[in-house]
Amino acid sequence: MDLFATATTTDGTKPADAAPAPAPAASARPKRTPKPAVELGPVRPNRLQRLGGLGLIAAPLLFTGGMLTSPEQTSPGTAGYIESLAADPALSLWSANLLHYGWVALVFGAIASLGLLRGRRGRVFLPIAAVMLAFGSIQMSGLLLSDWFMISAGNTLAIEDAVAMDTAAKEWTVAIWQYSGMVGGLVGMGLLSLALARAKAVSWWIAPLGFLPWIVPAFGLGPVGVLIALVCYAPLLVAGARLVAAR
């Protein structure tokens, strides 16, 4: 038998060409559907949070006023600092009051920033940063009480005795108070700015500025440095304005 001969039907005709083999079935693996974009609703703070938003606006302004009126220290060390405060008691007290109430305002502003949460973004980071900044602000506001004592000491005691009194008063627990305030207040301000960006409350490009307001004046630029520092409070100012303007 010729296996390669063309097959024929009983009536002598050739059969129709065989149907083509079916194409292999498509992979049963389901296609990945893209995750839907996270929808963020409007900002809806309560009344207390809107009021606290004023703290985020007031704090940078009070800090700027306090730094601009802070007497210039002309000699180094504790003695130089006490002498600079005692040289103009009225101006020194004005500066200390502005700085103190700036930190008080920031306590309320930090807690009120939770009103800017609109979804899952930042719901862990923002509360942690807010509590850290609120704690640090409380510590920093209390530390300013020492200015009142140093102003009085510089005007009633010999400078050597004023320095000795300040040194004796600052035992080791004061260092804990001081450094926890600096970390919580100064670092916490930057972390809150990043947390606000994470929650889409402020833009990411201004968020890093929150670490700089208390660093820029340390370069000795005088009033110019203080005004540059005011610009660095942009994340807090924007967040405060959003809280106040929310409906």
Side-chain angles (χ1 to χ4, degrees), residues 154-173:
N155 281 289
T156 58
L157 302 174
I159 190 61
E160 296 80 7
D161 294 334
V163 172
M165 183 203 73
D166 180 68
T167 303
K170 290 180 178 176
E171 41 84 44
W172 68 273
T173 60

Side-chain angles (χ1 to χ4, degrees), residues 60-61 63-64 67 189 209-218 221-235 237:
L61 300 178
F63 289 147
T64 301
M67 295 296 290
M189 200 178 300
L209 294 176
F211 289 97
L212 302 179
W214 291 86
I215 295 177
V216 173
L221 301 176
V224 174
V226 176
L227 295 177
I228 294 174
L230 178 59
V231 176
C232 295
Y233 288 110
L237 292 167

Side-chain angles (χ1 to χ4, degrees), residues 73 75-84 150 159 162-164 166-167 170:
Q73 183 173 342
S75 56
T78 303
Y81 182 62
I82 294 175
E83 288 173 341
S84 68
M150 284 192 279
I159 190 61
V163 172
D166 180 68
T167 303
K170 290 180 178 176

